[in-house]
């Protein structure tokens, strides 16, 4: 059992957990992930390690409640326990001093990009962060990123905060303003990562994305998380999760992520239904 | 009762295993084989000729004293028989169910030369089940503590056997498992209907009672390294029993369509994650109800996958194998059970390409027919076969699983080597 030392919402449905996991905290590097399971009936959910503290023996994960399990994870509070946390899994991010590095996070992707941005800064890069959200309340980790980055640009789809538009618009502005960008890391929804790849491709800027396929064991044993990169089938859990954005077949990734859409929807509907029922019962009592 | 003569023993037919009827068991996940009754076990044990120089033991990888335990069964002393087996094998209930006896002990049994060999596996299972359900699994003796610490990587059959042996020799044993539960392939690979998970749990619990420590969620190479185990954590020896079961795709066009699974993924979802009980359990698996399923391969994993598909409601569940039935590596019992359950066998056929729709869902497969070749004449990659025609499956096959040769590719998963003193690796031969 893994104790939750602190839990707080950063945005609607987006919750940050600090979990006691000293071995993982000591080992993990930027870009790696853990798999979390919350009950004997639960799924195995891969989540990127956003941060860690060796002194406290803790790791931080940031979870967006989308399906049944991620919403159930987000019902956990400080002092509660996760049944299983395993890791650190996957290959660490490739970090070097590229020169100027732009880290782009879309929604909860910002949490995944955060540790790599931090590592890029520590490696000596001039680090720029672009953090996107639907609206102001969905822009997360701005304060934390300002502490570690040289420049931080929030963007919102509705213009309620920062740059009005998508992260790609801001990225284009930066490139076209004459800043020599040497490296781009983009993590977020698949369409966003695909769009970023298309922005940087004509400029030949090295661009890396972190993929989020369906996974089961996370150790290369099942092959459920396979993706195609540069025409080759890869297992994201052991060959990634980070890959060259210009080589990734995003269309295939999107299609494969639809495999269990109807099952996910029925499970979520049932879950929401149960919560409504509990809520109604609580009110009636 | 007078002692039976050799001739009389030879005249007793091999006793059939009581089992669930094919037409009901192919709709449920409870165990197919029901196990011998005492009467059947005794009768079967009487078939053993008690050879002065028994060959059967030579066929057993762990050297179970087969002749002696069978004599004890014939005498009706089942608990003593259990103790006898456990002198050499800590997992008798598992091995009695899933060992390939016909290639091992039973292959060597002399009664098999003229008739059918003694059903050693069924007797082993009976004895183990008898002990577990009557007295409970009784603890083996533990030798004086040696003060040595051994780390075992992987909690599959190799790791569990090694743990049992070493703990009895007086060593302190810790088993590290990457998944959240103990048993390795016994719990993620082999289905409930062939090896109930409570049987595995009982044998694991017995090891725990002997003092074996189990650590789940420990991916050695990531969570800890072998170097750290030996230097920081003070282990004197490390045993690597991580299996060889990584999926090896065939690099065919279309193999990433939704619906194309490795057997490992399909079986892990159904067995370890209990997807056959979705939504009671949260992990889903492709809904095969009323659909056509093709499983490529002819080993035990292929049989497990195809029989699982049938139980999940597939309209047609087929084995498609590149060679002919005699070359299939699966246990004879599994092939026999699969056929009884309505599994179709398509031999001498290979997939060439998977076909799918715009949205990325599999709907067919292009196959190639082969014929067996004269071994002396052809030196191809697979000299057993040569092509006769290509064919396209007319029916719509929505789901496929790839069950292919399992490879040793430890390197892919763990940057470990075995050039360290005290580190023993146990890898399966590729099939």
């Amino acid at each position: 059992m893994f104790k939750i030392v602190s839990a707080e919402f950063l945005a609607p449905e987006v919750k940050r957990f600090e979990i006691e996991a000293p071995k993982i905290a000591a080992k993990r590097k930027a870009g790696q992930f853990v798999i979390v399971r919350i009950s004997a009936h639960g799924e195995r959910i891969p989540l990127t390690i956003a941060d860690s503290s060796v002194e406290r023996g803790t790791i931080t994960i940031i979870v967006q409640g989308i399906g049944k399990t991620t919403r159930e994870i987000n019902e956990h509070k400080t002092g509660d326990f996760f049944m299983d946390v395993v890791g650190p899994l996957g290959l660490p991010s490739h970090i070097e001093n590229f020169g100027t590095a732009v880290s782009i996070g879309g929604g909860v992707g910002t949490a995944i990009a955060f540790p790599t941005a931090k590592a890029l800064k520590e490696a000596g890069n001039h680090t720029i962060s672009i953090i996107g959200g639907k609206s102001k309340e969905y822009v997360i980790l701005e304060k934390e990123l300002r502490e570690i980055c040289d420049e931080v640009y929030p963007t919102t789809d509705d213009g309620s905060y920062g740059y009005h538009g998508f992260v790609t618009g801001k990225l284009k502005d930066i490139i076209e303003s004459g800043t020599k960008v040497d490296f781009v890391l983009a993590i977020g929804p698949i369409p966003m990562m695909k769009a970023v790849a298309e922005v940087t491709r004509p400029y030949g800027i090295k661009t890396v994305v972190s993929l989020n396929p369906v996974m089961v064991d996370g150790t290369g044993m099942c092959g459920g998380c396979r993706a195609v990169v540069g025409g080759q089938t890869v297992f994201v859990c052991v060959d990634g999760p980070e890959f060259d954005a210009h080589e990734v077949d995003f269309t295939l990734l999107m299609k494969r992520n639809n495999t269990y859409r109807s099952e996910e929807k029925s499970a979520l509907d049932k879950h929401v239904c149960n919560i409504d029922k509990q809520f109604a019962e609580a009110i009636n009592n | 009762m007078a002692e039976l003569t050799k001739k009389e023993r030879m005249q007793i037919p091999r006793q059939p295993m009581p089992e669930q009827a094919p037409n009901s068991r192919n709709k449920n996940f409870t165990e197919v084989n029901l196990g011998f009754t005492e009467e059947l076990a005794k009768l079967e044990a009487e078939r053993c000729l008690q050879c002065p120089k028994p060959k059967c033991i030579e066929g057993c990888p762990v050297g179970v004293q087969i002749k002696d335990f069978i004599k004890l069964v014939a005498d009706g002393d089942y608990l003593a028989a259990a103790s006898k087996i456990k002198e050499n094998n800590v997992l008798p209930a598992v091995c009695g169910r899933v060992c390939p006896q016909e290639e091992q002990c039973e292959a060597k049994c002399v009664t098999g030369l003229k008739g059918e060999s003694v059903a050693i596996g069924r007797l082993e299972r009976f004895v183990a089940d008898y002990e577990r359900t009557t007295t409970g699994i009784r603890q083996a003796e533990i030798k004086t503590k040696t003060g040595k610490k051994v780390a075992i990587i992987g909690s599959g059959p190799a790791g569990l056997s090694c743990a049992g042996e070493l703990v009895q020799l007086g060593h302190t044993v810790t088993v590290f498992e990457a998944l959240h539960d103990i048993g390795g392939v016994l719990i993620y690979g082999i289905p409930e209907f062939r090896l109930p998970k409570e049987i595995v749990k009982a044998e694991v619990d017995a090891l725990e009672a002997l003092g074996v420590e189990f650590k789940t969620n420990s991916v050695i190479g990531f969570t800890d390294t072998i170097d750290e185990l030996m230097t920081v954590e003070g282990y004197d020896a490390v045993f690597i029993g991580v299996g060889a079961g990584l999926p090896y795709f065939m690099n065919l066009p279309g193999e990433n369509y939704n619906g194309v699974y490795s057997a490992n993924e399909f079986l892990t979802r159904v067995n370890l994650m209990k997807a056959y009980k979705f939504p009671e359990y949260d992990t889903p698996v492709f809904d095969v109800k009323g659909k056509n399923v093709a499983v490529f391969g002819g080993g035990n994993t292929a049989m497990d996958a195809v029989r699982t598909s049938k139980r999940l409601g597939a309209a047609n569940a087929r084995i498609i194998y590149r060679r002919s039935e005699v070359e299939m590596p699966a246990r004879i019992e599994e092939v026999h059970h699969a056929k009884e359950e309505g599994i179709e066998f398509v031999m001498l056929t290979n997939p060439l390409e998977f076909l799918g729709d715009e949205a990325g869902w599999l709907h067919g497969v292009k196959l190639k027919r082969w014929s067996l070749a004269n071994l002396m004449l052809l030196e191809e990659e697979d000299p057993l076969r040569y092509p006769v025609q290509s064919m396209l499956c007319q029916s719509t096959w929505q789901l496929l699983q790839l069950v292919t040769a399992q490879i040793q590719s430890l390197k892919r998963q763990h940057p470990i080597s075995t050039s360290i003193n005290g580190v023993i690796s146990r890898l399966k031969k590729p099939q």
Side-chain angles (χ1 to χ4, degrees), chain A residues 2 23-24 27 32 35 37 39-44 68-69 72 83-91 214-217 219-228 232-235 238-239 252 255-260 263-264 266-267 270, chain B residues 176 178-180 188 215-219 222-225 228-229 233 245-249 251 255-266 268-269 272-273 278-287 357-361 402 412-413:
Chain A
F2 296 78
K23 284 210 160 174
I24 303 173
K27 276 286 159 60
Q32 289 187 298
I35 283 186
R37 195 177 75 125
S39 75
H41 286 207
E43 286 179 277
R44 294 169 64 89
K68 173 176 184 276
T69 301
E72 282 175 348
M83 188 177 238
D84 298 290
V85 178
V86 59
L89 301 171
L91 299 175
V214 174
M215 259 183 215
V216 187
D217 67 293
T219 63
M221 182 271 277
C222 85
C225 64
R226 59 197 192 278
V228 168
Q232 296 293 313
T233 295
V234 295
F235 289 5
V238 288
D239 299 324
L252 176 75
K255 287 174 181 172
R256 284 188 59 80
N257 276 0
N258 282 338
T259 306
Y260 301 105
E263 285 84 358
E264 283 159 3
S266 74
K270 216 171 151 191
Chain B
F176 295 89
L179 291 170
H180 55 258
Y188 76 72
K215 286 194 177 168
T216 53
N217 298 318
S218 300
V219 191
F222 287 87
T223 315
D224 272 306
T225 63
E228 287 164 341
L229 291 176
E233 302 200 21
L246 301 187
Y248 181 62
F249 284 84
N251 208 14
E255 70 187 13
N256 291 323
Y257 282 126
N258 294 347
V260 181
Y261 278 90
S262 75
N264 269 6
E265 184 189 357
F266 183 70
T268 301
R269 284 179 176 275
L272 176 71
M273 306 310 293
F278 180 85
E280 183 195 336
Y281 282 75
D282 292 333
T283 305
V285 70
F286 193 100
D287 184 3
D357 62 22
E358 276 296 299
W361 293 84
L402 301 183
R412 175 177 191 127
Q413 193 180 355

Side-chain angles (χ1 to χ4, degrees), chain B residues 29-44:
Chain B
F29 277 83
T30 47
E31 198 176 8
V32 169
N33 288 343
L34 304 172
F36 275 170
T37 58
E38 276 185 52
E39 292 69 31
L40 289 173
K42 266 189 153 169
L43 202 52
E44 185 62 35

Side-chain angles (χ1 to χ4, degrees), chain B residues 186-207:
Chain B
L186 305 175
I187 57 163
Y188 76 72
I190 303 179
E192 180 76 17
F193 58 82
R194 199 149 77 78
L195 178 64
K197 302 311 150 218
E198 64 171 35
I199 303 280
V200 181
K201 188 170 184 307
E203 299 208 323
V204 169
D205 287 350
L207 290 174

Side-chain angles (χ1 to χ4, degrees), chain B residues 66-280:
Chain B
I66 296 167
K67 169 185 158 180
D68 297 345
F69 101 75
I70 291 183
K71 177 77 170 64
L72 290 164
V73 176
D75 293 344
D77 195 349
Y78 311 125
L79 290 176
S83 303
K84 184 52 75 181
I85 294 176
K86 288 198 297 182
E87 284 176 19
N88 304 92
N89 183 3
V90 295
L91 305 170
V94 169
C95 294
R97 286 172 165 83
V98 300
C99 262
Q101 290 97 5
E102 72 256 17
E103 293 169 15
Q104 300 180 337
C105 51
E106 294 180 18
K108 303 265 180 175
C109 173
V110 293
T111 61
L113 294 176
K114 282 193 174 171
E116 286 189 283
S117 57
V118 174
I120 301 167
R122 292 172 185 175
L123 288 173
E124 181 181 35
R125 171 196 160 131
F126 167 78
V127 166
D129 287 358
Y130 183 89
E131 182 193 38
R132 196 184 59 256
T133 54
T134 53
T135 61
I137 301 176
R138 294 160 307 149
Q139 273 203 20
E141 240 176 77
I142 292 185
K143 298 213 170 116
T144 322
K145 283 278 173 197
T146 60
K148 301 277 186 196
K149 274 174 76 177
V150 183
I152 292 178
I153 305 171
S155 72
L160 293 178
S161 300
C162 184
E165 298 285 333
L166 294 178
V167 79
Q168 288 179 45
L169 289 172
H171 302 306
T172 302
V173 178
T174 309
V175 179
F176 295 89
E177 166 58 48
L179 291 170
H180 55 258
D181 209 350
I182 299 297
V185 73
L186 305 175
I187 57 163
Y188 76 72
I190 303 179
E192 180 76 17
F193 58 82
R194 199 149 77 78
L195 178 64
K197 302 311 150 218
E198 64 171 35
I199 303 280
V200 181
K201 188 170 184 307
E203 299 208 323
V204 169
D205 287 350
L207 290 174
E208 206 160 19
L210 281 176
V212 175
E213 187 192 2
F214 290 99
K215 286 194 177 168
T216 53
N217 298 318
S218 300
V219 191
I220 303 303
F222 287 87
T223 315
D224 272 306
T225 63
I226 288 178
D227 277 347
E228 287 164 341
L229 291 176
M230 298 191 78
T231 54
V232 185
E233 302 200 21
Y235 285 94
D236 298 289
V238 175
F239 174 85
I240 305 171
V242 297
L246 301 187
Y248 181 62
F249 284 84
M250 289 181 283
N251 208 14
L252 294 175
E255 70 187 13
N256 291 323
Y257 282 126
N258 294 347
V260 181
Y261 278 90
S262 75
N264 269 6
E265 184 189 357
F266 183 70
L267 291 172
T268 301
R269 284 179 176 275
V270 176
N271 299 328
L272 176 71
M273 306 310 293
K274 307 241 180 309
Y276 68 99
K277 293 183 179 170
F278 180 85
E280 183 195 336

Side-chain angles (χ1 to χ4, degrees), chain B residues 282-352:
Chain B
D282 292 333
T283 305
V285 70
F286 193 100
D287 184 3
V288 301
K289 269 186 215 77
K291 294 175 183 160
N292 299 305
V293 176
V295 175
F296 296 98
N300 289 323
T301 312
M303 297 306 139
D304 287 344
V306 78
R307 295 170 71 197
T308 296
S309 309
K310 187 77 186 173
R311 282 162 172 76
L312 291 171
N316 294 296
R318 296 182 178 93
I319 283 285
I320 299 181
Y321 182 55
R322 62 202 168 115
R323 297 178 181 171
S324 74
E325 201 171 318
V326 288
E327 283 88 23
M328 289 205 311
R331 291 175 86 217
I332 293 166
E333 185 183 49
E334 311 312 328
V335 175
H336 168 74
H337 278 160
K339 285 186 174 169
E340 283 185 338
E341 289 165 13
I343 306 300
E344 240 182 87
F345 282 68
V346 182
M347 295 294 106
L348 288 159
T349 306
N350 248 29
L352 288 181

